[in-house]
Amino acid sequence: MMDKDIKILAIESSCDETAAAVVVNGREVLSNIIYSQIDIHTMYGGVVPEIASRKHIEKINQVIRAALDEAKCTLDDIDAVAVTYGPGLVGALLVGVGAAKAICFAKDIPLVGVHHIEGHISANYIQDKDLKPPFMCLVVSGGHTHLVKVVDYGKYEILGITRDDAAGEAFDKVARAIGLGYPGGPKVDKLAREGNPDAIVFPRAKISDSEYDFSFSGLKSAVLNYINQAAMKGEEINKADVAASFQKAVTDVLTEHTMAAAKYYGMDKVALAGGVASNSSLRNAMKTACNKAGLALYYPSPVLCTDNAAMIGSAGYYEYINGTRHGWDLNAIPNLKLGQR
Ligand code: KG4
Ligand code: ZN
C-alpha cells in the first residue's frame, strides 16, 4: 500500500452514459456524475451510436467539471486519469479517450486505460470496502455476459461467455416485444413481480462443449414465438406471466453456472456486476444459492451496477498501482478483450 492517497479522475463514455468521477485509493468515491442519454435513445428503441457520440462530445466537459467541483478539487489534485478504452461503441469511446488524453497531456500526469468489464467488476470494491480477490464474478450487462474468476486485482480468467445475446440484451428485446420500451430490464423486473414465474416453461439453454458458456437467443425466440402464436390465435397474453417466466429462465441459468463454477474453483466469495446485477430475481436466487452453499455474496447498489465512472476509477487505481500506463497513442478498442493490454 502506498502512503500517499491516490486521487483518480475517471471517465466513462463507452455506450449511452457520459460519466466522470473522482475516486480515492480505488474505494472512496468523492463524486460520481452520470449524464444519461436514455431519453434520446428511447425514441429509437435502443442506442443509436452516432447520436451517442454526439451527445458525449457535447456533455463530456460539463460532466468532468461537475465531478471535480463535487469532489472539491481541481486538476492539480489529480494523480492520474483513468478512462474506458474498450469494449464499447468506437465513436463513443473516442470522446472519453480524447478528453482523458487532453487532460493528461496538459497536466503531465499518467493516463490509465481501463477495460469496461474490469470497471463493472470493480464496482464491488466500492460497495464493499473489505472485498478482496479471489472471488467468482458474474458480469451481466446490456453488452456482456461473462463468468469471470477474479484471481487478483487486474488478473482475470474468463470461464464462460455468451455465445449470442447478452443477458441485458435479452431483457431489452423481450421488453420491446411485450411493449414495455427501452431500457427493458428494469421494466421487466417490475412487471414480473405481478406475474407467475412458473406459468410458462421457457427453455434453459445448455452448451454441450462448454459448461460455463451462456446462450440467450433461443430463449428470446421462444418468448417471441409464444407471443406471436397467441396473437395468431387472437388470444390475450398475460404480460406479467411472460415477464416473470422469462426472467426466471434467465436467472436459473445465470445462478446455476455461477454456483457450479464457484464450487469447482473452490471460491468462498461470489460477486455480481453490470446492469442486470440489479435484477431482483437474480439477486434473490443468488442469495438463496449462496446461503445454501455457505458462500458470501456481493453486489453493488443499482447506481454502481449500470454504467458509471466511479467503477472505472476503482479499476483504474488498481491498474495504476500495478504499473499500468498508457501512451499518447492510446486508441479506442471496440472489441477489447479482458486482460488484453
Ligand atoms: O451495465 P449497463 O449499464 O450497460 C452495459 O455495459 O451494457 O447495463 C445495462 C443493461 C440494460 O440491458 C438494462 O436493461 C439492464 O442492464 N438492466 C436490468 C435491470 N436494470 C438494468 N436488467 C434486468 N433487471 C434490472 N433490474
Ligand atoms: Zn457497462
Side-chain angles (χ1 to χ4, degrees):
M1 217 8 122
M2 308 205 172
D3 26 36
K4 178 190 171 290
D5 280 346
I6 301 295
K7 213 175 256 182
I8 295 206
L9 170 66
I11 299 173
E12 154 66 41
S13 70
S14 65
C15 191
D16 59 346
E17 262 90 33
T18 320
V22 178
V23 179
V24 180
N25 297 338
R27 302 267 178 172
E28 193 196 338
V29 179
L30 299 187
S31 61
N32 188 20
I33 307 293
I34 305 168
Y35 169 77
S36 173
Q37 307 176 356
I38 276 180
D39 291 349
I40 315 154
H41 298 291
T42 299
M43 295 193 291
Y44 302 93
V47 177
V48 184
E50 188 83 359
I51 296 175
S53 312
R54 287 164 188 249
K55 271 288 151 195
H56 284 310
I57 201 80
E58 230 175 86
K59 293 289 172 187
I60 190 89
N61 279 16
Q62 288 93 308
V63 166
I64 293 171
R65 173 83 273 157
L68 290 167
D69 288 350
E70 197 174 299
K72 296 191 174 49
C73 64
T74 72
L75 288 177
D76 293 329
D77 306 311
I78 299 297
D79 295 288
V81 180
V83 63
T84 308
Y85 72 111
L89 303 168
V90 70
L93 289 163
L94 284 171
V95 175
V97 171
K101 280 183 167 184
I103 294 170
C104 292
F105 186 81
K107 303 307 277 183
D108 197 20
I109 52 175
L111 172 67
V112 180
V114 171
H115 191 289
H116 184 75
I117 291 183
E118 178 168 24
H120 274 301
I121 294 169
S122 304
N124 283 289
Y125 298 137
I126 297 171
Q127 189 70 39
D128 286 275
K129 311 284 181 232
D130 302 324
L131 174 65
K132 290 186 179 72
F135 57 91
M136 191 57 65
C137 190
L138 174 70
V139 188
V140 270
S141 73
H144 315 279
T145 307
H146 279 45
L147 187 56
V148 182
K149 184 175 155 195
V150 181
V151 181
D152 202 344
Y153 295 107
K155 212 167 156 221
Y156 310 97
E157 262 172 49
I158 299 172
L159 305 177
I161 55 165
T162 180
R163 295 286 179 100
D164 37 60
D165 293 350
E169 199 180 344
F171 269 96
D172 294 336
K173 286 177 179 167
V174 165
R176 194 195 297 192
I178 54 178
L180 297 180
Y182 176 85
K187 292 179 177 143
V188 170
D189 194 351
K190 191 158 169 242
L191 182 62
R193 282 176 209 157
E194 296 155 29
N196 173 7
D198 301 312
I200 312 151
V201 181
F202 289 127
R204 275 97 169 130
K206 276 251 176 271
I207 314 261
S208 53
D209 59 339
S210 176
E211 200 185 342
Y212 303 123
D213 276 356
F214 303 95
S215 166
F216 294 108
S217 70
L219 169 60
K220 176 196 65 193
S221 303
V223 176
L224 298 184
N225 285 343
Y226 177 85
I227 296 168
N228 291 338
Q229 276 171 16
M232 277 189 321
K233 288 189 233 152
E235 288 169 8
E236 193 68 31
I237 57 159
N238 182 328
K239 290 183 180 183
D241 283 352
V242 174
S245 302
F246 157 77
Q247 184 171 268
K248 177 139 193 277
V250 176
T251 301
D252 279 357
V253 173
L254 294 174
T255 307
E256 263 170 41
H257 284 34
T258 308
M259 295 309 293
K263 194 171 164 201
Y264 183 81
Y265 289 95
M267 295 284 139
D268 57 359
K269 287 173 266 181
V270 174
L272 307 177
V276 185
S278 46
N279 182 266
S280 56
S281 159
L282 177 63
R283 287 184 175 199
N284 288 337
M286 287 298 304
K287 270 185 214 163
T288 308
C290 285
N291 272 342
K292 204 169 145 209
L295 308 184
L297 177 67
Y298 299 82
Y299 49 78
S301 64
V303 70
L304 292 171
C305 283
T306 45
D307 289 349
N308 65 86
M311 68 185 196
I312 304 302
S314 176
Y317 168 77
Y318 290 105
E319 287 291 342
Y320 176 87
I321 59 171
N322 278 344
T324 303
R325 301 288 184 273
H326 283 92
W328 299 139
D329 59 349
L330 179 68
N331 207 340
I333 306 182
N335 57 354
L336 183 67
K337 302 281 172 289
L338 192 62
Q340 183 184 332
R341 293 271 175 263

